[in-house]
Amino acid sequence: MPDYHFTEKDFKVFNIEGLEPRMEALIENIRPKLENLGSHFSEYLTELTGEEQFAHVAKHARRKVNPPDDTWVSFSTNPRGYKMMPHFQIGLFGDHAFCMYGVIYESPDKKAAADKWLDDFEVFRDFPQSYQVSLDHMKPEKTALSEMSDEDLESGLLRLKNVKKGEFLVGKVYRPDDEAFGSDETFIKDLEAVMDKLVRIY
């Protein structure tokens, strides 16, 4: 079994019915890879950002009935959590994996991040326009930068700033047949290249 990259079997975990059976498959198939990615990229991001980064692998511990639709490892400078600050995240839903950076609704830094990104708006046009934006990290829907006008982008950032539930994450999406899943080495190199670009908005 691969140590880092995701396979068709990993994506199919999210088709399994029931909380316990899905969690069992997730823990067996996906979580070891998230732990490995967490170990590698906490070191990589520490070097990249100049601040110590800690990995946080999703445990889904609060779930009592509904099985998770996604899972992830997030990185932050706080060893106790990541939701309260801008963070990098690697994860997957049933139809795609992702590597993103952004802010979710729990963060008190939302307004400061939005202001910074609104001031440096052109940075989003310097990213590959195949990169996608998520305005709700709990939903799989994302929109490619190429499909967003400047007004759309500005609207998303203003929502982050002014709406309590506002979120904004940007990064690369990987479909199950993506060439990056060819090997562990290929996937790691691709993720590193994405982070090297996203660090511009760190």
Side-chain angles (χ1 to χ4, degrees):
M1 189 172 87
D3 291 323
Y4 294 91
H5 75 273
F6 302 123
T7 64
E8 196 72 43
K9 185 178 180 183
D10 296 326
F11 290 100
K12 286 180 176 173
V13 163
F14 298 100
N15 295 333
I16 297 170
E17 297 292 335
L19 175 61
E20 284 188 26
R22 189 179 301 181
M23 280 303 303
E24 198 173 298
L26 190 156
I27 289 166
E28 184 180 332
N29 296 300
I30 305 174
R31 189 170 292 173
K33 296 176 185 179
L34 295 177
E35 297 279 5
N36 291 339
L37 288 166
S39 178
H40 177 85
F41 282 103
S42 56
E43 290 184 20
Y44 188 81
L45 286 167
T46 294
E47 198 167 313
L48 188 65
T49 64
E51 296 186 276
E52 187 172 7
Q53 302 282 338
F54 299 90
H56 303 274
V57 175
K59 296 291 191 281
H60 309 289
R62 294 179 187 167
R63 290 187 172 267
K64 300 290 182 264
V65 180
N66 298 319
D69 294 321
D70 64 332
T71 194
W72 62 88
V73 56
S74 294
F75 304 88
S76 76
T77 55
N78 188 330
R80 295 169 67 177
Y82 66 92
K83 293 181 179 181
M84 71 294 291
M85 55 185 59
H87 58 271
F88 288 90
Q89 193 174 85
I90 302 167
L92 68 165
F93 283 89
D95 65 347
H96 71 277
F98 57 85
C99 176
M100 307 190 96
Y101 178 76
V103 187
I104 61 176
Y105 71 91
E106 287 99 331
S107 175
D109 298 330
K110 272 162 40 96
K111 289 185 179 179
D115 282 335
K116 179 179 178 234
W117 296 338
L118 284 162
D119 286 344
D120 192 21
F121 193 77
E122 284 307 308
V123 69
F124 295 102
R125 295 307 179 200
D126 292 339
F127 290 150
Q129 295 301 285
S130 57
Y131 280 16
Q132 299 195 23
V133 170
S134 167
L135 300 178
D136 184 341
H137 78 283
M138 297 179 77
K139 294 180 178 176
E141 291 79 22
K142 297 171 178 61
T143 307
L145 285 168
S146 60
E147 295 173 14
M148 299 180 77
S149 66
D150 286 353
E151 290 75 19
D152 293 334
L153 264 173
E154 186 178 0
S155 173
L157 290 169
L158 286 171
R159 185 175 185 276
L160 171 67
K161 179 178 178 178
N162 298 320
V163 177
K164 189 177 180 184
K165 286 276 187 184
E167 302 186 344
F168 189 96
L169 301 103
V170 62
K172 183 170 180 179
V173 166
Y174 301 85
R175 298 299 169 188
D177 60 353
D178 199 292
E179 290 178 358
F181 296 136
S183 70
D184 283 342
E185 185 180 4
T186 306
F187 189 41
I188 286 172
K189 292 294 180 201
D190 204 281
L191 290 169
E192 288 176 352
V194 174
M195 291 177 177
D196 290 350
K197 291 183 175 72
L198 294 179
V199 76
R200 284 191 60 188
I201 59 170
Y202 178 77

